[in-house]
Amino acid sequence: MKKIKIFATGGTIAGSGAAGKSAAYEAGHVDIEKLLQDLPDLGEIAQVSMEQICNKDSNDLTLSDWLLLAKKLNQAALESDLDGFVITHGTDTLEETAYFLNLVFKSEKPLVLTGAMRPATATSADGPMNLYQAIALAAHPDSVGQGVIALFSDNIFSSRDIRKTSNFKIDAFQHNDFACIGYMRDEIPYFYTRSFKKHTVATPFDVSALTALPKVEIVSYYVGADPAVLDHYLYREKVDGIVIAGSGSGNYAKAWKIKLEALAAVNIPIVRASRVSGIVLPAVTMDVATTICANTLTPQKARILLMLALTKTHQIDAIKAMFQEY
Ligand SMILES: NC(=O)C[C@H](N)C(=O)O
């Protein structure tokens, strides 16, 4: 029988609130041992062990939590009697943790994130089915080598492309573009597609000696947005990089481009991402010497790749190449 280890971090799947209610609750209250008691019998699917890493709303996770989790996972993946891993996680930032791990988890063993939109105490809580399916998915041979994946509401998602799009529906993650790569019916996964983008063992990123990550912040562009925010981050906060959540194709006003041209001498990478879905490509009307296109990454995922890229290089062209690869 496959041996699966669960790392629990909290979220609504571990939420507790007024009996039966879905909206009024606090995330990160119920421990993983109790959550497992609510599952149907796992039978021959897997033998499960568990570790409670923390128990919090996923908005309270920190970059130190990520480094700790990644190191523990990389260590556990070396154990020959563990076949796969599940992380229980809040949905608000699940896509960020999933993509971070997709770039730094050094194993082909399955790693599946899951969570819930209704707390454990709700009527028709969605957590137990998601957790049951996530364990079955982590134990399935088809999940080997898929990179980090997520399971939610019968859908299997690529961690690079998963995006939360509803803040109350139990089917809370976007299905179109490249996000959904398969379905599950009960404990059986059906994969249909996979990403060409490199992940896990095929990336150069190594967290084993890291105690902190480079400081990269996201700034939003909107009509009338003051480009002085860029000075603030570069000169006051002394960031190592910035992601601009631009409009449309990673766009902003001419005043922003003029400001970026003036700041280019500082040689800090600036990623042009977009607040809408699609692809951000080079554009003479927007780019300056230090800008890098986010490709199809959301601003929050572009930030993760930029942080990791900066652990390897500060050369703009080398970072540009990474945004094509991962
Ligand atoms: N559905 C959820 O899990 C939301 C919760 N705020 C969290 O991210 O922890």
Side-chain angles (χ1 to χ4, degrees):
M1 205 192 307
K2 291 283 173 65
K3 292 200 173 68
I4 302 302
K5 180 158 185 183
I6 305 176
F7 289 93
T9 68
T12 297
I13 192 168
S16 158
K21 303 277 189 195
S22 300
Y25 68 93
E26 270 191 67
H29 271 266
V30 184
D31 61 33
I32 185 64
E33 227 168 317
K34 166 77 182 84
L35 296 181
L36 283 168
Q37 286 163 15
D38 294 337
L39 294 198
D41 182 15
L42 287 168
E44 292 297 302
I45 294 174
Q47 192 181 318
V48 166
S49 57
M50 70 206 95
E51 181 172 340
Q52 189 84 48
I53 297 282
C54 56
N55 209 351
K56 44 181 153 174
D57 189 297
S58 71
N59 296 292
D60 291 321
L61 287 170
T62 63
L63 300 185
S64 307
D65 290 328
W66 277 3
L67 289 173
L68 174 79
L69 188 58
K71 287 174 188 175
K72 276 185 180 277
L73 280 159
N74 282 334
Q75 194 58 41
L78 296 175
E79 289 177 32
S80 56
D81 65 336
L82 286 174
D83 299 295
F85 304 93
V86 170
I87 299 174
T88 55
H89 200 288
T91 56
D92 285 347
T93 66
L94 183 145
E95 65 209 57
E96 295 178 51
T97 303
Y99 185 54
F100 174 72
L101 293 173
N102 196 49
L103 297 173
V104 301
F105 180 52
K106 293 292 151 201
S107 173
E108 301 224 304
K109 290 183 182 178
L111 170 52
V112 182
L113 278 82
T114 196
M117 290 301 285
R118 293 179 180 158
T121 48
T123 306
S124 304
D126 53 328
M129 186 62 171
N130 284 344
L131 182 53
Y132 175 75
Q133 289 188 319
I135 293 167
L137 185 57
H140 200 279
D142 288 358
S143 302
V144 173
Q146 296 278 2
V148 178
I149 51 181
L151 181 284
F152 221 88
S153 271
D154 285 320
N155 301 293
I156 304 166
F157 292 102
S158 116
S159 58
R160 183 185 183 278
D161 301 302
I162 187 173
R163 190 173 196 176
K164 185 174 178 180
T165 50
S166 169
N167 60 16
F168 73 96
K169 293 179 184 165
I170 55 168
D171 199 3
F173 291 90
Q174 180 182 359
H175 290 208
N176 54 0
D177 291 334
F178 322 110
C180 181
I181 58 170
Y183 298 137
M184 278 190 90
R185 302 302 292 143
D186 290 326
E187 66 282 356
I188 304 179
Y190 300 90
F191 282 94
Y192 293 95
T193 182
R194 67 162 75 204
S195 177
F196 280 111
K197 298 294 179 186
K198 290 184 187 165
H199 53 71
T200 55
V201 294
T203 79
F205 308 120
D206 176 9
V207 293
S208 58
L210 293 182
T211 51
L213 287 162
K215 188 172 166 63
V216 176
E217 297 292 341
I218 302 173
V219 301
S220 291
Y221 175 73
Y222 43 86
V223 171
D226 187 347
V229 68
L230 298 167
D231 291 311
H232 171 79
Y233 276 121
L234 287 184
Y235 294 122
R236 288 248 179 82
E237 297 293 325
K238 303 218 179 316
V239 293
D240 302 300
I242 291 180
V243 175
I244 301 177
S247 58
S249 304
N251 297 334
Y252 29 72
K254 288 187 186 66
W256 277 53
K257 189 178 179 206
I258 291 165
K259 171 63 78 184
L260 288 170
E261 267 159 2
L263 295 173
V266 188
N267 207 30
I268 294 289
I270 312 275
V271 174
R272 280 177 47 229
S274 176
R275 64 189 190 188
V276 301
S277 62
I279 177 164
V280 176
L281 295 171
V284 279
T285 47
M286 297 294 143
D287 282 316
V288 303
T290 48
T291 50
I292 295 157
C293 299
N295 205 284
T296 59
L297 294 177
T298 58
Q300 54 275 26
K301 288 187 180 170
R303 171 192 176 238
I304 292 164
L305 180 53
L306 183 54
M307 286 192 296
L308 288 170
L310 286 166
T311 64
K312 290 279 156 200
T313 179
H314 287 263
Q315 287 180 1
I316 303 290
D317 283 345
I319 299 174
K320 275 185 186 169
M322 289 179 179
F323 272 81
Q324 302 299 315
E325 256 178 307
Y326 308 110

